[in-house]
Amino acid sequence: DEEYRTQVELDLIERIKKIVGNEGFEKLCLKLFEKMYDVEVQHTGSPGDRGVDGILSDKKLGVIKFYVQAKHYASNAIVSYSDVASFYGKCSHDKVFGIFVTTSNFSNNTRDEFEREDTFVKLVDGKTLAKWLYEYNVGIKEIDRIILKEIDDDGLSSFN
């Protein structure tokens, strides 16, 4: 049910804001991208990481595919333009695409600047992150499955 899923996604982001710390949020995002893209992940987040919290690499070739910057906010603070611009500079300098993820949101001018097709950085806000976490079962567990059934005409005919 779509209404149920939406509520779980909203609750998930709120719980992440309250329960998961900064480093844990970085690891959560890396786990998600590992599942989504079938890549090897390296957690690089630490003081002085120059804005790169993780690196996603091709499993076979070891070629870097993406840098990840994960910004955890306990509130609904807006990610600053300068944070994204700094990460963009690192990505464009190293000629690597980047994924900037937050529990929160981005300002309109940040979106206008960085949501173009030709940018090195893709923005993932809290709402999108929650959808992906739900879809890939990261921070989510299945408690039940609904089985759908249909009428079996051949089975019914076998009773004749």
Side-chain angles (χ1 to χ4, degrees):
D1 175 62
E2 196 61 35
E3 192 174 307
Y4 175 80
R5 178 180 175 152
T6 301
Q7 189 58 55
V8 170
E9 290 170 359
L10 290 171
D11 293 346
L12 176 60
I13 282 298
E14 289 308 310
R15 292 240 185 106
I16 289 169
K17 288 178 180 181
K18 289 179 181 146
I19 296 171
V20 179
N22 292 339
E23 185 176 338
F25 181 64
E26 293 167 2
K27 291 176 179 178
L28 176 79
C29 292
L30 292 174
K31 178 51 115 179
L32 172 65
F33 294 133
E34 181 180 37
K35 282 185 144 186
M36 285 177 74
Y37 299 118
D38 191 33
V39 291
E40 286 190 14
V41 300
Q42 178 185 1
H43 181 236
T44 58
S46 64
D49 61 19
R50 299 185 59 220
V52 178
D53 296 322
I55 299 172
L56 310 181
S57 303
D58 182 275
K59 282 187 173 182
K60 292 182 176 82
L61 299 174
V63 175
I64 294 174
K65 297 180 87 166
F66 295 101
Y67 286 160
V68 176
Q69 168 66 281
K71 219 30 140 179
H72 176 278
Y73 290 111
S75 66
N76 289 327
I78 301 296
V79 176
S80 74
Y81 179 88
S82 62
D83 282 344
V84 179
S86 175
F87 182 61
Y88 175 86
K90 174 69 174 153
C91 293
S92 61
H93 176 268
D94 293 356
K95 295 182 177 48
V96 173
F97 285 101
I99 306 170
F100 198 111
V101 188
T102 183
T103 52
S104 187
N105 213 330
F106 300 94
S107 66
N108 288 337
N109 67 331
T110 302
R111 285 189 181 283
D112 291 345
E113 180 70 25
F114 295 102
E115 286 193 333
R116 302 183 326 262
E117 292 293 321
D118 63 342
T119 185
F120 277 96
V121 175
K122 297 302 174 194
L123 305 178
V124 179
D125 61 21
K127 187 175 180 179
T128 303
L129 174 63
K131 285 180 189 257
W132 291 350
L133 291 168
Y134 188 98
E135 183 178 343
Y136 289 92
N137 292 323
V138 177
I140 292 285
K141 63 183 176 184
E142 287 185 359
I143 55 172
D144 199 2
R145 283 191 184 246
I146 298 172
I147 297 173
L148 301 176
K149 298 182 179 189
E150 64 180 14
I151 297 170
D152 180 2
D153 287 336
D154 292 336
L156 290 174
S157 296
S158 70
F159 291 105
N160 289 333

